[in-house]
Amino acid sequence: MAETTAASGPSGQDAAGTPGPGRSVPTVLEVLRSLDSGPRGLTEAEAGQRLARWGENTLPQRREPSWPRLLVRSLRDPFTAVLGCLGLVSAAVFAWGTATVILLLVVVSCVLRASGEHRADRSTAALRELVATTATVLRRTDGDAPPTAREIPVDELVPGDVVRLGPGDLVPADVRLLRSSGLSVHQSALTGESAPVPKRTADDRAPGTGTGGSGPSHSCFQGSSVASGSATAVVTATGARTLLAAGHGPGADPPRDSAFDRSVHGVSWILIRFMLLTPPLVLMSNAALRGRGLETLPFAVAVAVGLTPETLPVLVTTCLARGAALLARAHGVIVKRLPALHDIGAVDVLCVDKTGTLTQDRPLVAGALGPDGRDDPEVLHWAAVNAWWTLQLAELPEPDALDEALLDAADEDALTAYDGTAVVPFDPVRRLATAVIRTPGRLGGHTLVVKGDVEAVLDRCRLDGDERERLRGLAAGAADDGLRVLAVATADRPARTREYTPADERGLSFRGLVTLRDALAPTAADALAVLAGQGVTVKILTGDHPGTAARACRDLGVPVGENGLLTADRLDGVSDAELAGLVRRTTVFARCTPAHKARITEALRAAGHTVGFLGDGVNDLPAVRAADVGIAPRGAADVTREAADVVLAEKDLTAVAHAIAAGRYAGGNIATYLRITLSSNLGNVIAMLSAGLLLPFLPMLPAQVLIQNLCFDAAQLSYVHDRPHPSALDRPTLLRPRELLRFITGFGLLNAVADLATFGVLAFALHGPGTGDDQAVFHSGWFTENLLTQALVMLLLREGRLWAQGRKPGSVAWAATALAAVGLLLPPSPLGPQLGLTALSPAYYLLLTAVLALYAVAVLAARARYERRRAERAPGI
């Protein structure tokens, strides 16, 4: 019977008291019966049986893939698949050298990628901690023994256990309150509310209260913490059945394609189309015009290989792994998925919460207003007196955030001059706290100092109707300006020895209002400026009051504008098309639910933006999953941290800016490699096709094609260590297939023109047709020109500004120099004849210098035009 009835608790939230449609809230007695428990708790035997049935009270842990599994998964990368197919084709036509090199590069790339992701998985595994370590539980040795309170590990809690909660405790499971006294909890990790939420038993609920956005007021959930008060509660759900673990369930959203995945697929299909088209063209043109048959097949395969950036998987993986390692070492930022580093570099919209990101999770005193609305320091003084003696006499472990702000702003010496005698602690039902002090300068008198909610204080003051309405308007104006408002009142009473109660809080004299604002995060303003300089638009999605959010933006200098703030409820009846326009114009979305955050994120992505979302609570989980890059701090809720792609040491925009910079350096180097390699390779392919139709011999031998590509690709690996000019950080680095296609087509044609000009030099200026060594001279001249033009574009087409004052030659400059040296020295070297190359005359080098100079001028002019057009096409928001 015990196991059957207890099932209603863990299997759902009914036992916790969340009513379904048309159902009333179950009473405490009904909850205890459904759990087969009682106010005295479980016996040790019952707890052991339930632990065996329901399992430990731990959140589901994501199973980390093993290193071999990561290695196999890396083979699914489109670039790797393309190279693997080329390697197999090369082996099929007995081009063993080409096949061996390509397959070796595939293996190296897969090993690097798997190793990098395995290191990231181990780092994130070290971050996982239980929500709480121990809990105070009532247990009995047998059915007749009295219950005793003792500490047990949280993972041993079971449904039906009775636990005790006090200030500062973490709620160890989902619980239903049995008794409570002044209980309020922080549950921002679950709902995003920055202020503590009052909780009380069902019998103590004030009229009109119930379930709402904060959840049932008679239930507390794992992941929240006790801000004040105490309670005794019964555990209704543990482990995977808690609200906190909901994100781990089978209904979780499937993994989405990242910006990097979409870009890679687009670029891969460009390469596949070119490679499928090139070999047939080579074979058909040679067969039709030169009568050559299958003997040109190895050359056709070599041309297709020449179009492919063979070292791309190695370079991509190494760039991302190196950037991720530097981020982890220098800034404590862990990139869990290597492609996410590219994605965060491509981010142009960053969605953040307000609390903990732009503001600290603590208030500061903004001012004190007397009843006439003017500044009155005396009001702050009385509010601080109340906070001081409430803390001292109620024996609280520490002041709450509002009291701490009051004490920080007050003169401590003035506070200790009073003699406190009694206190009526804060109660979330009354929404007041009262301190009783001996009246200064008058023997036999006490002064009640009352502080709390404006309405609650005004209702207890001696005021006529008009005056009360005027003061309400004064408080409402401050609230609309984004300030929290506390009211302060006092009353003189004859001294007495009997206890003070809430009934004494009557006939008060209104003293004034204390206003508080959120303390700004110390690095927020500077980080926002850096993000703006990086071309990143920040959107604020918060559950707070619109005025509070707008105030924080004004204090930070974030332009909101007249139409830049919306309450999220306005989005409920808006179509997707209308939403796209709203998200573009709006900076701040207030009163956001988790569904609102996810929908706004999806709308931004649908508009063509690469979106990052920084969140830490369970309420942020849907948006973290919906974003291109989910970002979470180390202290985030476990489920949110597990879903994130990037984990920060702290919830700090500065760390996000560092991650974006690292992503842009890595992404910029990858994009530069792709642009230079593909455009140069395309130019070579066009030139090879043209030469194949004009010449009576193959324009380049398969071995020469392979050596040339290996030299060029080896030099291109220097981009892994390149540090582009800081101007490369000014815009997102996103691989856009159409933009890449335009680039490689334009610059590839320029490269082909340079090659054809070289052909003219070789054909007419050096050797007449019919000489015996035309083939070796042609191969040597074109081999040298190819490597020199490739070395030239490595320098001229780098990401960022071309020339930097005082900049020393870097890895790319040295690699380009080495590439040029190979092109000049290999043909006349002893290895030249073995590769079909020969020495060239000095006249050729003079004419080649002229060709290269004209080519460099054309490349610089084309680059300037390309940069202007790219800036015009850059997406705005």
Side-chain angles (χ1 to χ4, degrees):
M1 178 66 179
E3 291 182 352
T4 303
T5 56
S8 62
S11 63
Q13 295 302 326
D14 287 347
T18 304
R23 296 177 57 187
S24 60
V25 176
T27 65
V28 170
L29 182 58
E30 290 172 337
V31 171
L32 290 173
R33 283 177 176 171
S34 70
L35 295 167
D36 197 20
S37 183
R40 298 195 306 160
L42 303 174
T43 65
E44 294 292 350
E46 290 171 336
Q49 293 173 0
R50 297 188 185 194
L51 184 63
R53 177 174 176 79
W54 298 113
E56 293 185 344
N57 178 34
T58 57
L59 293 176
Q61 297 295 317
R62 184 170 66 93
R63 184 179 178 182
E64 301 297 345
S66 62
W67 192 90
R69 183 182 292 271
L70 289 172
L71 182 64
V72 173
R73 193 168 68 185
S74 65
L75 289 171
R76 294 181 298 181
D77 177 77
F79 283 132
T80 305
V82 168
L83 283 180
C85 291
L86 278 177
L88 294 177
V89 171
S90 300
V93 298
F94 305 107
W96 299 113
T98 303
T100 301
V101 171
I102 289 177
L103 295 178
L104 178 63
L105 291 172
V106 168
V107 171
V108 171
S109 170
C110 292
V111 169
L112 286 173
R113 183 164 184 171
S115 299
E117 293 191 358
H118 186 59
R119 283 195 300 269
D121 285 340
R122 284 189 301 174
S123 298
T124 53
L127 297 175
R128 298 189 187 100
E129 301 171 345
L130 285 175
V131 176
T133 54
T134 62
T136 303
V137 63
L138 296 182
R139 288 274 178 89
R140 293 172 290 154
T141 55
D142 55 56
D144 297 328
T148 57
R150 62 188 185 89
E151 295 284 326
I152 66 169
V154 174
D155 55 14
E156 294 181 10
L157 281 178
V158 295
D161 263 329
V162 174
V163 296
R164 288 178 177 174
L165 302 173
D169 286 348
L170 294 169
V171 179
D174 289 357
V175 300
R176 169 69 183 263
L177 298 180
L178 302 178
R179 295 182 299 277
S180 67
S181 175
L183 182 68
S184 63
V185 300
H186 287 291
Q187 56 182 36
S188 59
L190 295 165
T191 65
E193 297 160 291
S194 56
V197 177
K199 297 286 184 177
R200 47 198 170 273
T201 62
D203 296 336
D204 294 337
R205 289 203 314 272
T209 62
T211 67
S214 303
S217 59
H218 49 70
S219 296
C220 299
F221 303 99
Q222 187 177 29
S224 56
S225 61
V226 178
S228 62
S230 60
T232 301
V234 61
V235 174
T236 59
T238 58
R241 294 164 295 275
T242 62
L243 182 65
L244 184 62
H248 286 284
D253 296 335
R256 75 283 185 199
D257 285 340
S258 68
F260 183 77
D261 295 330
R262 296 193 299 271
S263 300
V264 163
H265 282 284
V267 175
S268 296
W269 278 110
I270 291 175
L271 292 178
I272 291 170
R273 291 187 184 102
F274 274 117
M275 286 186 301
L276 291 177
L277 183 63
T278 301
L281 279 177
V282 173
L283 290 173
M284 288 188 297
S285 61
N286 277 273
L289 298 178
R290 293 294 176 182
R292 304 181 187 123
L294 290 178
E295 67 270 16
T296 60
L297 184 57
F299 174 71
V301 172
V303 171
V305 172
L307 181 63
T308 308
E310 295 94 338
T311 53
L312 179 62
V314 176
L315 183 133
V316 168
T317 306
T318 308
C319 273
L320 297 178
R322 184 172 183 269
L326 290 174
L327 264 181
R329 187 164 57 246
H331 305 290
V333 177
I334 296 174
V335 180
K336 295 170 59 180
R337 196 174 47 83
L338 284 184
L341 184 63
H342 166 272
D343 293 344
I344 200 168
V347 162
D348 61 339
V349 177
L350 178 65
C351 298
V352 302
D353 196 359
K354 176 184 69 67
T355 305
T357 306
L358 304 181
T359 62
Q360 301 179 58
D361 199 8
R362 65 182 184 88
L364 293 176
V365 172
L369 306 176
D372 56 1
R374 297 179 181 178
D375 290 340
D376 187 350
E378 191 70 13
V379 179
L380 175 60
H381 169 76
W382 284 117
V385 168
N386 173 283
W388 175 262
W389 286 109
T390 299
L391 177 66
Q392 300 299 322
L393 298 178
E395 297 183 353
L396 298 177
E398 59 183 14
D400 67 16
L402 296 179
D403 284 348
E404 190 171 20
L406 294 172
L407 295 174
D408 288 343
D411 181 2
E412 185 175 340
D413 293 337
L415 302 180
T416 56
Y418 296 97
D419 186 10
T421 62
V423 66
V424 184
F426 179 82
D427 182 343
V429 177
R430 288 171 31 249
R431 296 170 294 166
L432 297 172
T434 297
V436 182
I437 61 173
R438 289 191 174 86
T439 305
R442 182 165 65 87
L443 296 176
H446 285 170
T447 299
L448 276 65
V449 184
V450 181
K451 165 180 62 67
D453 177 76
V454 174
E455 282 294 331
V457 172
L458 289 177
D459 288 345
R460 290 163 172 78
C461 289
R462 296 191 302 268
L463 298 169
D464 59 37
D466 291 341
E467 180 67 6
R468 184 174 281 107
E469 286 302 317
R470 186 185 68 81
L471 293 173
R472 283 179 179 147
L474 182 64
D480 290 340
D481 197 32
L483 299 172
R484 299 184 189 181
V485 185
L486 293 174
V488 182
T490 61
D492 291 332
R493 298 283 191 269
R496 74 187 197 200
T497 57
R498 75 176 187 274
E499 183 178 346
Y500 283 87
T501 68
D504 294 301
E505 299 166 340
R506 294 288 184 272
L508 307 177
S509 299
F510 185 77
R511 288 284 187 169
L513 304 172
V514 177
T515 58
L516 302 102
R517 59 177 176 83
D518 288 329
L520 301 179
T523 60
D526 292 339
L528 287 171
V530 171
L531 290 170
Q534 292 176 332
V536 177
T537 301
V538 175
K539 304 281 186 182
I540 301 165
L541 282 58
T542 178
D544 276 344
H545 186 280
T548 304
R551 176 66 183 234
C553 290
R554 286 199 304 271
D555 291 344
L556 288 168
V558 176
V560 175
E562 185 176 344
N563 299 318
L565 187 147
L566 280 179
T567 52
D569 56 5
R570 287 188 54 188
L571 307 180
D572 293 336
V574 172
S575 67
D576 291 342
E578 294 173 314
L579 181 62
L582 284 175
V583 296
R584 185 177 65 254
R585 298 189 300 269
T586 306
T587 301
V588 179
F589 297 87
R591 300 294 192 197
C592 283
T593 65
H596 288 138
K597 294 180 180 182
R599 191 179 178 211
I600 292 167
T601 303
E602 291 281 10
L604 288 166
R605 291 186 68 206
H609 298 284
T610 304
V611 184
F613 189 95
L614 172 59
D616 60 355
V618 176
N619 62 310
D620 294 321
L621 183 60
V624 167
R625 284 179 170 156
D628 289 290
V629 187
I631 311 169
R634 181 172 53 190
D638 286 2
V639 290
T640 305
R641 190 177 62 231
E642 290 293 335
D645 303 302
V646 177
V647 178
L648 311 177
E650 302 292 341
K651 192 177 181 182
D652 186 358
L653 284 180
T654 302
V656 177
H658 287 310
I660 289 175
R664 290 191 178 175
Y665 277 131
N669 289 339
I670 293 170
T672 297
Y673 169 84
L674 272 175
R675 286 197 294 263
I676 293 174
T677 302
L678 293 179
S679 61
S680 181
N681 289 356
L682 179 62
N684 287 340
V685 168
I686 294 173
M688 283 184 182
L689 291 174
S690 302
L693 300 178
L694 297 173
L695 298 173
F697 50 80
L698 291 177
M700 192 172 285
L701 300 178
Q704 295 167 355
V705 175
L706 181 60
I707 292 297
Q708 175 185 278
N709 289 339
L710 285 178
C711 291
F712 187 34
D713 288 332
Q716 293 278 65
L717 289 176
S718 62
Y719 282 114
V720 171
H721 301 282
D722 189 29
R723 192 73 171 172
H725 190 274
S727 62
L729 303 180
D730 294 345
R731 55 176 174 259
T733 53
L734 181 63
L735 293 173
R736 301 181 187 275
R738 290 186 179 180
E739 181 181 312
L740 180 64
L741 182 59
R742 282 193 295 266
F743 184 97
I744 64 177
T745 302
F747 285 90
L749 290 174
L750 270 180
N751 185 275
V753 169
D755 287 344
L756 293 174
T758 304
F759 296 167
V761 169
L762 290 167
F764 299 107
L766 297 178
H767 299 279
T771 56
D773 54 0
D774 273 354
Q775 183 171 344
V777 169
F778 185 90
H779 290 164
S780 301
W782 195 17
F783 183 88
T784 298
E785 183 267 347
N786 262 336
L787 292 188
L788 289 177
T789 54
Q790 289 169 345
L792 195 60
V793 295
M794 283 183 64
L795 298 175
L796 298 183
L797 295 182
R798 292 175 66 191
E799 186 72 20
R801 297 174 191 167
L802 272 179
W803 319 116
Q805 186 175 3
R807 185 173 180 175
K808 298 180 180 179
S811 58
V812 173
W814 290 115
T817 302
L819 184 64
V822 171
L824 292 169
L825 300 177
L826 184 59
S829 73
L831 291 176
Q834 300 179 31
L835 297 172
L837 303 175
T838 188
L840 298 166
S841 66
Y844 169 74
Y845 294 108
L846 291 176
L847 292 171
L848 180 60
T849 301
V851 172
L852 293 178
L854 292 174
Y855 176 64
V857 171
V859 168
L860 290 176
R863 171 180 169 143
R865 182 172 179 269
Y866 169 78
E867 293 287 352
R868 285 196 304 271
R869 296 189 64 179
R870 185 165 71 160
E872 293 169 359
R873 290 193 302 265
I877 188 166

